[in-house]
């Protein structure tokens, strides 16, 4: 009986790891396509609401509301959480000069697949240099730019 419990625990852990890998790969493709300016591929990673938006309009939304997204040079991932219907990924975007900006991407499950639904880019500077300059200027509540479907 104990062996069966251990096998179930291992199986559940592997399923969670696989799901989180699938989510991060979808988000990685999303950011890569934005950096390349391929908004048709960008749209292909997004929820049904976003897929119904004209590609030129989507490009305008991203370029006008989230202009830092195409300017980022790399992406790394932090915490990924899901409840089986929605998921949230902490993403960190790298910019020339050594700056990282936090971003949250939420995804929804539609038809057995996961799709990007919301992107929230924080406007806080979390760089170590900023913290060393003055800790009194650190804000607790960050401004965010959010685009959601």
């Amino acid at each position: 009986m104990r062996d069966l419990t251990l096998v179930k625990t291992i199986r559940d852990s592997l399923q969670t790891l696989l799901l989180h890998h699938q989510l991060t790969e979808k988000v990685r493709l999303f950011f890569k396509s934005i950096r390349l300016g391929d908004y048709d591929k960008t749209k292909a990673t997004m929820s049904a609401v976003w897929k119904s938006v004209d590609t030129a309009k989507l490009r305008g939304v991203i370029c006008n509301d989230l202009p830092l997204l195409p300017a980022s040079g790399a992406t790394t991932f932090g915490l990924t959480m899901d409840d089986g219907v929605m998921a949230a990924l902490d993403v960190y975007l790298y910019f020339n000069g050594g700056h990282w900006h936090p971003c949250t991407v939420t995804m929804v499950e539609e038809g057995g697949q996961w799709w990007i639904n919301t992107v929230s880019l924080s406007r806080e500077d979390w760089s170590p240099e900023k913290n060393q300059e003055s800790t009194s200027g650190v804000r607790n509540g960050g401004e965010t730019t959010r685009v959601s479907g």
Side-chain angles (χ1 to χ4, degrees):
M1 186 63 158
R2 182 178 156 176
D3 289 342
L4 184 60
T5 302
L6 179 61
V7 168
K8 183 181 179 326
T9 301
I10 292 170
R11 184 198 68 206
D12 291 347
S13 296
L14 289 173
Q15 285 177 333
T16 299
L17 287 171
L18 178 60
L19 173 61
H20 290 188
H21 175 74
Q22 291 170 342
L23 296 174
T24 57
E25 287 306 307
K26 178 86 61 148
V27 174
R28 190 179 317 277
L29 178 61
F30 170 80
F31 283 111
K32 181 179 179 181
S33 64
I34 287 174
R35 289 184 193 110
L36 294 173
D38 189 343
Y39 290 94
D40 286 324
K41 280 189 181 175
T42 301
K43 203 161 87 168
T45 65
M46 301 182 81
S47 67
V49 171
W50 284 108
K51 285 179 180 159
S52 67
V53 173
D54 179 68
T55 302
K57 184 172 181 174
L58 174 65
R59 181 185 184 284
V61 168
I62 290 172
C63 291
N64 293 328
D65 295 342
L66 298 167
L68 290 178
L69 295 187
S72 65
T75 308
T76 190
F77 296 89
L79 185 63
T80 301
M81 300 171 287
D82 77 276
D83 64 6
V85 178
M86 294 192 72
L89 289 80
D90 289 337
V91 180
Y92 301 90
L93 303 175
Y94 177 79
F95 297 88
N96 289 337
H99 299 285
W100 291 90
H101 287 279
C103 177
T104 301
V105 176
T106 59
M107 301 178 78
V108 294
E109 191 276 328
E110 294 174 346
Q113 298 278 331
W114 287 89
W115 307 102
I116 294 165
N117 193 54
T118 304
V119 178
S120 300
L121 181 62
S122 174
R123 292 187 185 191
E124 282 197 62
D125 185 357
W126 291 93
S127 67
E129 297 84 21
K130 180 76 172 177
N131 193 32
Q132 290 173 357
E133 287 173 13
S134 169
T135 56
S136 63
V138 175
R139 297 172 291 177
N140 289 328
E143 298 175 42
T144 59
T145 299
R146 181 182 177 119
V147 177
S148 62

